[in-house]
Structures are given as structure tokens and as C-alpha cells.
Amino acid sequence: MATIYDVAKTAGVSPKTVSRVLNGDAPVGQGTRKAVEAAIRELGYVPSKAARMMRSNKSGLIGLITGAISNSPEPAEPRGLPDLLIVQGIQKVIADSGKTLMIADTGGLPDRVSHLVQTFLEHRAEGLIYVADYHQQVTLPPLPGGCPLVLANCFDSTGHPAIVPDDRAGQRDIVRKLIESGHRRIGFLTLDRTMVATGLRYQGYRDALAECGILYDDQLVAMAVEIGSESDNTLLNASLNRLLDLADRPTVICCGNDEMAMRVYGLLSSRGIRVPEDISVAGYDNYRIIAETLSPALTTVELPYFAMGQAAAQTLLNLIKGRSDRAETKTLISGPVSWRSSVTARNSVSVLKQKGRNNA
């Protein structure tokens, strides 16, 4: 295997000059540079990255710990928006920065996190990103000083920079658009109440009602999914029946995610209820495998996983460069509402416009 000394001899220069060409840390004449590069190609010389790391104390490596790979569903089994999109967003920014992303999957075993952190540190990773499979609070092992950590889709109690979805704003935005479309009786089938996202989206639901002057009705809200039984229709069926049996039943049903909305379509169809002619349906995620293939196509709000991944990676790069303000420990990323044909307008004049006239 060729060495830097072989390259120097072939190019007729000193080893120090070859090093300058490789590292770009000092001016080198154009002719000399071409001679060195030609010698490198001729000899098939591969620079020692390990040696360069020892000199610069920078590995160029970023460690990422996730469960997205092992937890991703089979292509034929859509089960919600894969958090693998967060990893893709991270990869895009890290690759553009010239650094290398090393990915380790937990295999669904939280106990592996400490070992994976230690492994990355042994490989001199410049920083770490931890990606959770849903919006939640996590507890991670302590890191040695000087190794920055960024959390994606999660947060902790120690104040590490965290990139999380703005669930409250997302639910507020879609409910507000439903109201603008003339809906005043808006049902809400939520995910498990113990989930962080559920509480935030419930607040967003109530925010939109209050902003538009609509009284909150507890009868219109029901939990429809419990953790550990996401594909079990028993609770969903009971909660949906509760809404449909109301004397003044909702004109639109907001679902906790697009997968739930897909199942609501089926349950409504089995009762002879048409979407959107008899009742409108909205989701959350904008998981296109579901939202764009349902008939009618599903109105939903974007869960901005790719953008969250990009923000997490950029935050880490800023920390590595010492350019980040650590005072902002939690960054909220919002996504747009995707309006499709599963929601129909209730009248030609929006509630908000009518409310404005009444206040004039």
C-alpha cells in the first residue's frame, strides 16, 4: 500500500507538501498540486483518516441512535408516518456538511442506548442525535463534557436541545380551517391520553374553538386508541358510536392520525354513512400512502418529520461549531394543512366571516 512518502517521491516534492495538498491548510502552487494529485492517482494512495483525526482532533463523524429502522412497517402495511423520514432529513444536512453519519438502531430495546452511546464515543463522534419513534419525554445516559447531543421527536428534563413537532399549532390550524369551511360541530377522536401529542392537540382543538367563538362540548371528544392496541377497533368503534348517537352529531370528525381516519372510513361505510356527503373526516400526519390513496382523499395536517430531521442536524452542526444559543432548548416545527376532498363545506359563507359581520 502506497504511503505519503511514495507520493512525495513520485511527485518530486516533500512529504510536507503532499500533506498541504491533502489537508488544504497551506498555499501550494498549481503545478505542484497537479503533480501531487497525479501521483496520488498513479499510486492509488488512500489518505489515513485516522492520522488526520489525531492531528485535528475532529473525526468528521456524527452518531445517530434510532429505532426507526427496526420499527418501520412492511411496505404493504401502512401504519402511520414512519419516523425514518426524520433520519432522512438528518442525513441530507449531514451529507451536505461534508461529515459522515453513522446510524445505530436500538432494535426496539431501550437498554441498548447506553451501549450505542459508548460505541459512538469510542469512535470519536463529534456529536450525537437521538431520534424517538413518537413525541415523548426520554431519559438518556449522561454524556461526557464536550460531546453535544440533540434530541429529535422527543425532549428530556436536562435541557438538551430538542426538535419536536408543534402538535398544538397543527391541530389548531386544521380545526380553524374546518370552522372556516362552515363546520361548528367538530368531533375529535384522540390517540391515547397519556401521549404528549394528544394533550397538545387537545389544547389546539380548544384554541381554535375559542378563537372562533364556538363553545367547547365535551361530548364531541373521545379517546379512540390506547397504546399497545393501536390496530384494535373495539375502542374506536365504541367512541365513534358515541359521536354518531348524539342528538346533534358532528358534521366532521377529526382523527388522531391518518391510520385512524382510514379505519373510520371503513366503520362509517359499514353503517351506510358516506364521506363527505353525510359526514366529513380529517386526519393528522399527511402520510401520503394513506391520505392520497383513500377515496375520497383525506384532509389532514403535515407531521413535519423530514423538516424536524433537518433542524436537528443543523442544530447539532451549530453546536459543534460553537455557534448555537443553548437558551433555546426546545424548537417547535409546524407543518401545513393539506386540504383534500374528505371535507365538504357546510355553507357558502364561512363562520368567521359571519362572526366578523356580527361584530361590525
Side-chain angles (χ1 to χ4, degrees):
M1 181 178 293
T3 68
I4 193 172
Y5 300 99
D6 298 325
V7 173
K9 183 177 179 180
T10 301
V13 297
S14 69
K16 188 172 183 179
T17 299
V18 175
S19 178
R20 288 173 175 170
V21 172
L22 293 172
N23 297 321
D25 55 3
V28 177
Q30 187 66 21
T32 300
R33 179 179 299 278
K34 288 183 178 180
V36 170
E37 291 173 347
I40 289 173
R41 289 193 298 270
E42 178 184 340
L43 298 173
Y45 171 70
V46 178
S48 172
K49 190 165 186 177
R52 193 177 305 173
M53 284 168 48
M54 293 297 290
R55 290 192 299 270
S56 67
N57 202 31
K58 293 183 179 180
S59 65
L61 301 176
I62 301 297
L64 185 150
I65 300 173
T66 179
I69 299 172
S70 58
N71 289 341
S72 292
E74 295 296 325
E77 185 187 356
R79 296 204 39 170
L81 187 61
D83 45 326
L84 189 59
L85 288 175
I86 299 179
V87 177
Q88 293 173 347
I90 293 169
Q91 168 62 25
K92 174 68 169 61
V93 173
I94 297 300
D96 289 346
S97 75
K99 296 185 184 295
T100 300
L101 186 67
M102 298 189 300
I103 302 175
D105 190 271
T106 63
L109 302 173
D111 293 344
R112 292 195 62 203
V113 174
S114 294
H115 169 71
L116 295 175
V117 167
Q118 184 60 36
T119 299
F120 281 137
L121 294 178
E122 290 172 357
H123 284 77
R124 301 168 62 86
E126 294 184 39
L128 301 178
I129 301 175
Y130 179 82
V131 179
D133 53 353
Y134 62 91
H135 190 175
Q136 59 186 288
Q137 183 168 351
V138 298
T139 301
L140 299 178
L143 296 180
C147 182
L149 168 68
V150 173
L151 307 176
N153 209 26
C154 58
F155 58 95
D156 65 7
S157 61
T158 61
H160 285 108
I163 311 299
V164 294
D166 195 343
D167 287 297
R168 184 171 183 171
Q171 194 69 53
R172 182 189 65 231
D173 290 348
I174 194 168
V175 172
R176 186 178 177 87
K177 285 186 177 295
L178 293 173
I179 295 170
E180 290 173 349
S181 190
H183 293 272
R184 297 184 70 88
R185 296 286 289 172
I186 301 173
F188 188 18
L189 296 175
T190 75
L191 301 174
D192 193 297
R193 288 194 182 96
T194 64
M195 298 177 66
V196 172
T198 300
L200 292 170
R201 294 178 191 177
Y202 174 74
Q203 292 173 9
Y205 170 82
R206 297 200 63 166
D207 289 345
L209 296 179
E211 289 172 5
C212 299
I214 298 176
L215 293 178
Y216 169 76
D217 185 350
D218 193 55
Q219 294 184 96
L220 291 172
V221 180
M223 188 176 79
V225 168
E226 290 181 306
I227 291 178
S229 60
E230 290 86 349
S231 60
D232 182 2
N233 272 349
T234 303
L235 181 57
L236 175 59
N237 195 40
S239 297
L240 180 60
N241 282 338
R242 200 184 98 184
L243 296 186
L244 296 178
D245 289 343
L246 292 173
D248 187 9
R249 76 183 191 184
T251 59
V252 60
I253 296 176
C254 288
C255 298
N257 59 24
D258 293 348
E259 182 192 357
M260 183 195 293
M262 178 175 64
R263 290 191 280 139
V264 166
Y265 269 45
L267 293 173
L268 291 174
S269 178
S270 69
R271 293 165 171 77
I273 299 175
R274 301 168 300 168
V275 177
E277 292 86 354
D278 300 321
I279 194 165
S280 296
V281 175
Y284 202 112
D285 282 354
N286 197 26
Y287 184 21
R288 290 180 175 83
I289 292 177
I290 293 177
E292 294 180 353
T293 57
L294 280 174
S295 181
L298 181 65
T299 291
T300 183
V301 60
E302 182 90 22
L303 190 54
Y305 275 167
F306 189 83
M308 287 165 55
Q310 291 180 304
Q314 192 58 60
T315 298
L316 182 63
L317 292 175
N318 289 341
L319 285 172
I320 291 171
K321 296 173 183 177
R323 294 204 308 242
S324 181
D325 180 6
R326 295 295 297 269
E328 290 293 332
T329 57
K330 187 180 288 188
T331 301
L332 301 177
I333 305 295
S334 60
V337 173
S338 293
W339 195 265
R340 301 188 179 97
S341 53
S342 67
V343 175
T344 186
R346 295 293 294 175
N347 51 46
S348 59
V349 179
S350 79
V351 173
L352 292 183
K353 290 180 180 178
Q354 187 65 50
K355 183 172 180 286
R357 292 194 191 99
N358 293 340
N359 294 335

